[in-house]
Amino acid sequence: MHEDTGTPQRPAPVAHRLAPLFDFSSIAVVGASDSGPGGPRGFRTLQALGFSGPYYPVNNRATTVQGMKAYPNVASLPEVPDMVLVAVPSRFVPDVIDECADVGVKAAVIVSAGFLEEGGDGAELQARITATARSRGPLVVGPNCLGLVSMVYRCAAFDGALPAHTGNVAVISNSGGLMNETMWTGGPRGIGFSHCVSCGNEAGVTAADLIDYFVADPATDVVLAILETVRDPALFSEACTRARAARKPIVVLKMGRSEQGSRSVSTHTGALAGNDAVYAALFRQLGVIQVDDLDELVDMGVLLSSAVPILRNRRLERAGVIEISGGGKELLCDTCAAGGVELPELSQAGATALAAALENRYPATNPLDSGGSWGMPDKDQVYPAALEVFASEPAIDVVVSRYTIPRVGELGRLSNRIEELQAARTAHPDRLFVVLSRTTDQWCPGWGEAVHTHHIPFLQGYGRGPRALGRLAMYSRFVHGPAERTAAQSPQPVLSQPESARPLDEVESKAILAAVGIPVVETRIATTADEAARLASELGYPAVLKVLAPEIVHKSAQGGVRLGLADGAAVRQAFAELEAVAVSAQATFRGVTVQPMAAPGIEIVLGAQRDPQFGPVILCGLGGVLVEALNDVALRVAPISPEDAEAMLHDFRGGRLLAGLDRAALRQAICSLSDLMLAHGDLASVDVNPVYVYPTGVLAVDARVQRGAQSA
Ligand code: ADP
Ligand code: MG
């Protein structure tokens, strides 16, 4: 899966429009100097990679830089360079990019800062760069970044320390510092990198573009992305969908999730951080693995770089754990449960074989407590036998060995265990073998070497390790789920004219739901008590009356709902009371709605909001009058396929109440709501609370639609 740095083999170029960024043979550095961002460190980085192409310093105030001839500008170079690294103050950068466009440079990396992240003039400078890059210019990475490294093509526009190894993991990061940290932490953990890009403010090339390239790149199997925002949700979704088809996992560490974090994001690279819950929903929908910090990101790089080739052919969801301690076994049961890792019981045959190998000294269970140090002489028999049993179990996909790794000194007898592990891996190439340590502690140099030479997927910590395995299992379920996802239905308009902003009343709102096929309880308006009584007897008793007043949004909270009215007298009295409710709330009394009492069902809330960045976001959750207090909901970004809708029903706790009820009708209602929002850009929000779910069918008993949004 990965090779040592220094192999000069240069693979064939990838047929992709971003190829010039990663595979270039000549580079000019605008703003080259004897120190600073355009200084000799970048040149040394190139040398370390074995880059032998021309390197042109460009500096309009010096004739030599770093002992080399300097040129006053890009146009005066003896040839058009493949790549231009720009490291001059921000105010000069747009002209440099224009010049690159004029002479036909294909790729540029801008490390200078002082653009969108500073606002004002900076934002304007960045807009000029974007305009040139989009219309006629080079591919632009940055500005406000630390550049990029291609370990595969042995070239870089970057002046930092290189990753230790070449391999199948690519990194994309809005933050240069966090990209560096990922490369530097990943190396000792055994991760080899294909390409690492810090994309900064994404004036030209975006994270979505880069994902698209990595999907096409045969050298990359896994993408680790550190993102402040998703600048182009449509392209991002498309790229992630292609990544899923190619079985290349994308792991995202999304920053700016807290309110404070999102403020610092907007000052950091000028990103407009979207709502965290919507991001999480989108990532789930796209099968993107979301992690919470850098350690977890690196853990996923470690695990997936070995798992992906196996995962292409089989599921990797259930684990067998070979422990050496009773406490560890107990704790692992807890942390695996918390991390969503299934630990299947051994089969009868497996348990018998294991019991024999253990000479009945330890219980033959999963997890196995094999009784103390790997250095004990009996482990020469016990460990290989345990590996063989676990790897032969039909219900075990991932075999985890928990090692106590010497912190200092030599590996000692652990070397034998590593050899036995390697033998088991060779014998069972369709299983994933992982080593887990107890804590995120230090280890002796020999272990680091073993991890690297044997490509041992090494997870650290009883908590973090199972969390990574749980995320792998989730991804496995996603890629091995239904292959063909049903296309979302094509949205058909049901409303005539776009309207100015206004909330629609309950009757108008229900009419819109009915038009897209969501069943609603029949609802009429009465402006007098007599009319209310007449309608109630027409619709059938028991009846429901609700106040109709535009200012009263939460009707029941303000005493505006009367349920279970048995006869005309009760209806007349309710009418009078509701009028009094409107008067005392100083609301405009427009009458009441009259509707029959619906049979009780499970109360679900359906909703839709138009997110400024992602467009329509659909919500489904536990409904009723406590919806806000419970906040037990699932979100998805439209368009929503029936599979997405089904996944939503598993995504909130109250979804369990739907067992035995008409989930298909509810899925249909969710998809119809998604279609409605897509077909009508002027709908701002829809709130259906509650919709009753029955053994057969669903029925909306309350609805509120807000018109008058800008199309998004
Ligand atoms: P609001 O949400 O504005 O307070 P609703 O119209 O949702 O008002 O009514 C409040 C509650 O009354 C609902 O959550 C539901 O439990 C019940 N309810 C409303 N309409 C009906 C109906 N037609 N049949 C049965 N129950 C109803
Ligand atoms: Mg309601």
Side-chain angles (χ1 to χ4, degrees):
M1 249 137 290
H2 63 199
E3 308 151 357
D4 273 320
T5 307
T7 26
Q9 263 317 328
R10 215 180 151 103
V14 177
H16 190 278
R17 65 184 186 84
L18 257 50
L21 281 177
F22 300 100
D23 180 14
F24 52 87
S25 305
S26 57
I27 179 169
V29 178
V30 178
S33 62
D34 290 324
S35 64
R41 286 207 318 193
F43 185 61
R44 284 203 293 271
T45 300
L46 280 166
Q47 284 179 314
L49 282 165
F51 182 86
S52 55
Y55 175 93
Y56 300 112
V58 174
N59 185 320
N60 60 11
R61 281 179 309 195
T63 49
T64 60
V65 166
Q66 301 163 31
M68 290 176 256
K69 175 177 162 52
Y71 297 83
N73 50 38
V74 173
S76 62
L77 294 172
E79 61 173 323
V80 176
D82 290 343
M83 166 63 81
V84 172
L85 174 70
V86 186
V88 292
S90 57
R91 62 186 187 281
F92 303 121
V93 173
D95 288 340
V96 174
I97 296 300
D98 283 344
E99 195 188 352
C100 289
D102 291 343
V103 302
V105 169
K106 290 202 211 74
V109 170
I110 306 169
V111 296
S112 326
F115 294 90
L116 194 60
E117 78 280 11
E118 286 190 359
D121 293 349
E124 234 163 82
L125 292 172
Q126 183 167 325
R128 274 188 59 198
I129 297 169
T130 301
T132 307
R134 295 248 166 97
S135 59
R136 63 194 184 94
L139 296 162
V140 169
V141 167
N144 186 26
C145 74
L146 291 183
L148 60 84
V149 181
S150 174
M151 296 297 284
V152 170
Y153 293 107
R154 322 300 304 166
C155 48
F158 176 69
D159 71 359
L162 291 169
H165 316 295
T166 303
N168 60 354
V169 178
V171 179
I172 302 169
S173 177
N174 282 128
S175 151
L178 296 192
M179 172 187 78
N180 283 349
E181 194 63 33
T182 306
M183 300 189 308
W184 300 338
T185 329
R189 295 284 305 282
I191 301 183
F193 294 96
S194 55
H195 319 275
C196 302
V197 190
S198 75
C199 53
N201 295 6
E202 302 175 88
V205 171
T206 64
D209 294 325
L210 291 164
I211 290 172
D212 196 68
Y213 174 83
F214 294 137
V215 171
D217 172 29
T220 300
D221 286 324
V222 181
V223 179
L224 305 183
I226 301 166
L227 302 180
E228 286 172 336
T229 187
V230 169
R231 267 173 235 267
D232 191 334
L235 287 181
F236 182 81
S237 299
E238 281 169 31
C240 293
T241 304
R242 279 194 286 276
R244 174 189 193 261
R247 307 239 159 128
K248 295 192 181 187
I250 297 168
V251 189
V252 169
L253 173 57
K254 168 73 176 64
M255 296 181 285
R257 298 173 62 186
S258 59
E259 215 176 290
Q260 200 175 15
S262 71
R263 267 205 306 279
S264 85
V265 160
S266 57
T267 48
H268 188 199
T269 63
L272 181 82
N275 175 294
D276 179 46
V278 181
Y279 271 108
L282 183 75
F283 293 152
R284 246 161 202 257
Q285 222 166 326
L286 295 171
V288 166
I289 304 165
Q290 191 176 6
V291 294
D292 295 321
D293 67 18
L294 268 187
D295 290 313
E296 291 185 344
L297 186 77
V298 171
D299 289 343
M300 290 320 295
V302 165
L303 190 60
L304 290 167
S305 67
S306 293
V308 164
I310 303 169
L311 190 65
R312 292 198 174 122
N313 303 313
R314 69 167 292 147
R315 291 176 174 260
L316 290 177
E317 291 158 27
R318 301 155 305 171
V321 186
I322 305 173
E323 245 295 345
I324 49 174
S325 101
K329 172 178 162 176
E330 242 175 281
L331 186 51
L332 265 172
C333 288
D334 296 345
T335 57
C336 283
V341 183
E342 204 188 320
L343 298 170
E345 301 248 342
L346 294 180
S347 67
Q348 190 60 50
T352 310
L354 188 58
L358 299 171
E359 293 170 345
N360 293 315
R361 278 171 302 154
Y362 318 106
T365 54
N366 175 30
L368 166 67
D369 165 16
S370 61
S373 167
W374 286 123
M376 281 161 27
D378 70 329
K379 294 298 183 289
D380 291 346
Q381 287 81 46
V382 167
Y383 187 50
L387 284 170
E388 181 57 29
V389 167
F390 276 79
S392 307
E393 280 292 288
I396 290 179
D397 311 313
V398 182
V399 180
V400 180
S401 302
R402 213 279 293 159
Y403 285 3
T404 298
I405 302 156
R407 289 158 170 81
V408 290
E410 306 290 318
L411 280 176
R413 290 184 81 88
L414 201 62
S415 306
N416 303 25
R417 303 294 86 83
I418 296 170
E419 272 172 38
E420 290 148 12
L421 178 70
Q422 289 309 100
R425 289 175 80 183
T426 311
H428 299 276
D430 64 331
R431 304 298 159 107
L432 179 66
F433 290 81
V434 172
V435 171
L436 175 72
S437 68
R438 283 190 143 143
T439 57
T440 57
D441 201 355
Q442 66 190 71
W443 59 82
C444 67
W447 174 249
E449 278 161 37
V451 164
H452 171 57
T453 355
H454 303 303
H455 309 149
I456 299 171
F458 169 42
L459 295 177
Q460 293 185 295
Y462 279 137
R464 263 168 58 190
R467 270 207 295 285
L469 291 170
R471 289 185 166 119
L472 169 64
M474 209 165 75
Y475 179 72
S476 166
R477 284 191 289 272
F478 184 82
V479 290
H480 292 289
E484 281 308 315
R485 295 163 70 77
T486 323
Q489 20 190 41
S490 46
Q492 296 298 327
V494 292
L495 304 175
S496 44
Q497 293 295 318
E499 278 191 30
S500 54
R502 75 178 179 101
L504 307 190
D505 69 33
E506 192 178 330
V507 173
E508 294 171 302
S509 300
K510 282 177 172 168
I512 291 179
L513 297 185
V516 292
I518 300 175
V520 297
V521 71
E522 191 166 3
T523 306
R524 311 260 188 88
I525 295 176
T527 52
T528 64
D530 285 342
E531 195 184 3
R534 185 176 50 80
L535 289 176
S537 63
E538 262 176 55
L539 295 170
Y541 286 105
V544 174
L545 255 63
K546 301 180 192 173
V547 67
L548 190 66
E551 298 87 351
I552 299 183
V553 177
H554 299 293
K555 299 178 289 293
S556 53
Q558 290 182 256
V561 177
R562 293 289 181 280
L563 301 172
L565 305 170
D567 51 30
V571 167
R572 281 170 214 280
Q573 190 190 334
F575 187 94
E577 287 170 5
L578 293 177
E579 183 164 15
V581 162
V583 170
S584 77
Q586 294 183 317
T588 324
F589 182 64
R590 296 245 163 93
V592 299
T593 62
V594 184
Q595 45 198 289
M597 194 63 193
I602 294 294
E603 295 199 329
I604 292 293
V605 54
L606 295 182
Q609 285 281 335
R610 199 168 293 277
D611 183 272
Q613 196 174 2
F614 296 105
V617 176
I618 310 299
L619 169 151
C620 176
L622 200 55
V625 287
L626 295 178
V627 63
E628 263 128 45
L630 296 175
N631 192 19
D632 181 27
V633 298
L635 298 178
R636 290 293 184 278
V637 179
I640 295 189
S641 68
E643 288 83 1
D644 290 330
E646 178 60 27
M648 284 178 94
L649 304 186
H650 294 276
D651 241 19
F652 63 100
R653 261 173 284 134
R656 288 173 213 164
L657 300 173
L658 298 169
L661 302 183
D662 196 343
R663 305 164 67 94
L666 187 56
R667 283 200 300 267
Q668 181 59 49
I670 292 171
C671 294
S672 300
L673 200 53
S674 156
D675 291 347
L676 175 69
M677 292 298 283
L678 290 172
H680 295 285
D682 76 311
L683 283 183
S685 67
V686 176
D687 184 49
V688 190
N689 183 26
V691 55
Y692 284 151
V693 185
Y694 299 119
T696 309
V698 297
L699 187 64
V701 303
D702 183 25
R704 190 175 169 82
V705 173
Q706 172 84 36
R707 293 197 77 169
Q710 290 298 315
S711 246

